[in-house]
Amino acid sequence: MKRQLLTFLIFLFVCVKTIACSCDTPKPILEFYSSKYVFRGIITDKTFSKDSATFTVKFKVLQNYKKGKTPKNLTFTFNYNKDDARRSSCYTEYYNNQELLVFASEYKGKLGFDTICSNSQVIRERGIDPFLQKVLDHGNEFKLDDYIYGNDSEVRYEFNFPKPITNIDSIFKYEKPWKNDKPSGLFALHINKKGELVAVFNFFDWYKSYEDFKIDPVFGLLQEFEVKNKRPLTEFEVHTIELLSKVKVWEIRRNIETQIAVDYFAFIAVDFDEKTMKWIYELR
């Protein structure tokens, strides 16, 4: 039920006029993966409903990028904003003879796309960006579970938001007070496809090692990593890593569309509040 609701909300966000335009565009390969059709096409017809509440555009498909059969023609219906509302940055309208790259999703048999918060776009004189073109050319070779996923804005909405199954409160609740040095830090945890904790790192080391991580040159996703010590850890960091290493069981992170499990990073901020004499943590 939760998955259906999330899919529905995402679909509405893409297909219907949005109230706010502040959003993040997913990584092209992940939108390619979750789309029903990805194609280059030209608008051959545009019609309005009798009450002008909506307009429908018909595409002639010039090139299909996603494996499988794509119809020669596809139609999409959008809400139509009149007068001053059309000047809103949240509103996009499409016209006859426009050529577009379309990442089309489907919900309950209805197709939708948008050029806001999406890699769908009007194709202009410069054509498609070379990096994006590589993704389109190799998208059908992509295997979702070959990569390790973080929590950055380009990927987070493609997956669920896993939490620890191990009772993390019980680990910190009876832990002794900390008075040796600055009692705060951010930590990165590597969790595998089975929801098992693999390793815990100080975030500073994780972040400073990132430039040496192996990133897929086509899809821009993390393939392999090695975190190296960039500075001596404080006693607090050493101790907190020992505590977090006890949080061994996590929810499995799955793609919302296919439910395929993936390796991922979770991030936790940990502090010791010297006023209340309590350990505090927050998932980031």
Side-chain angles (χ1 to χ4, degrees):
M1 183 66 185
K2 288 182 179 179
R3 176 171 174 262
Q4 290 178 338
L5 177 60
L6 183 55
T7 301
F8 176 66
L9 291 173
I10 291 172
F11 184 84
L12 286 179
F13 187 74
V14 171
C15 301
V16 183
K17 176 188 71 174
T18 57
I19 297 174
C21 297
S22 177
C23 57
D24 299 299
T25 302
K27 278 194 177 295
I29 188 56
L30 294 180
E31 189 169 13
F32 183 100
Y33 179 80
S34 62
S35 296
K36 181 171 184 178
Y37 301 121
V38 180
F39 67 91
R40 182 172 60 87
I42 189 167
I43 296 176
T44 58
D45 187 57
K46 177 180 178 180
T47 57
F48 289 87
S49 59
K50 289 183 179 181
D51 60 1
S52 296
T54 64
F55 68 91
T56 299
V57 292
K58 180 179 180 180
F59 278 92
K60 177 183 178 181
V61 176
L62 302 176
Q63 183 173 2
N64 173 41
Y65 290 106
K66 191 150 186 180
K67 186 184 297 183
K69 292 183 179 180
T70 300
K72 294 182 179 179
N73 297 283
L74 287 166
T75 59
F76 300 85
T77 298
F78 303 90
N79 287 347
Y80 178 60
N81 288 357
K82 301 176 184 179
D83 306 323
D84 291 342
R86 296 178 65 186
R87 291 195 287 269
S88 168
S89 62
C90 301
Y91 179 69
T92 302
E93 193 171 336
Y94 307 105
Y95 304 95
N96 280 332
N97 299 315
Q98 271 188 327
E99 188 175 334
L100 283 87
L101 171 65
V102 175
F103 291 74
S105 298
E106 184 178 50
Y107 180 74
K108 290 187 176 180
K110 182 179 178 182
L111 282 175
F113 80 91
D114 199 350
T115 50
I116 299 173
C117 310
S118 166
N119 292 286
S120 296
Q121 58 193 253
V122 176
I123 299 176
R124 307 190 187 281
E125 292 78 9
R126 292 186 176 183
I128 299 172
D129 177 81
F131 173 78
L132 179 55
Q133 187 63 57
K134 282 185 179 181
V135 173
L136 297 171
D137 293 339
H138 297 278
N140 293 301
E141 304 164 14
F142 175 68
K143 293 182 179 180
L144 184 80
D145 56 350
D146 282 350
Y147 302 90
I148 306 166
Y149 297 86
N151 201 27
D152 51 291
S153 60
E154 294 176 308
V155 305
R156 68 176 62 156
Y157 298 113
E158 302 296 314
F159 299 92
N160 63 324
F161 297 92
K163 297 178 180 179
I165 293 175
T166 300
N167 189 340
I168 192 169
D169 289 331
S170 65
I171 292 172
F172 285 106
K173 185 175 181 179
Y174 300 108
E175 185 57 28
K176 63 184 180 181
W178 192 267
K179 299 180 180 180
N180 292 1
D181 53 21
K182 186 179 180 182
S184 65
L186 183 60
F187 302 86
L189 292 77
H190 176 207
I191 298 150
N192 67 20
K193 299 177 182 67
K194 297 179 180 180
E196 301 167 339
L197 177 66
V198 179
V200 183
F201 309 100
N202 167 261
F203 181 78
F204 179 86
D205 289 341
W206 184 91
Y207 178 76
K208 290 296 183 180
S209 300
Y210 194 89
E211 63 182 16
D212 296 321
F213 289 0
K214 184 179 178 182
I215 307 296
D216 188 301
V218 175
F219 302 133
L221 295 172
L222 176 61
Q223 293 177 300
E224 299 175 7
F225 74 96
E226 180 183 357
V227 175
K228 300 177 181 178
N229 293 331
K230 298 297 181 178
R231 61 162 172 75
L233 296 178
T234 65
E235 290 186 29
F236 175 83
E237 290 168 338
V238 171
H239 186 62
T240 303
I241 288 173
E242 291 175 353
L243 293 175
L244 292 176
S245 296
K246 298 177 183 179
V247 189
K248 294 185 179 298
V249 185
W250 290 69
E251 293 176 346
I252 294 173
R253 192 174 196 189
R254 299 182 184 277
N255 177 264
I256 292 171
E257 184 69 22
T258 63
Q259 290 297 292
I260 290 176
V262 298
D263 278 43
Y264 68 97
F265 287 110
F267 301 93
I268 299 183
V270 180
D271 296 90
F272 181 77
D273 190 328
E274 296 180 87
K275 292 182 179 179
T276 62
M277 300 297 284
K278 292 182 179 180
W279 288 78
I280 302 168
Y281 71 90
E282 180 184 3
L283 293 172
R284 295 288 179 87

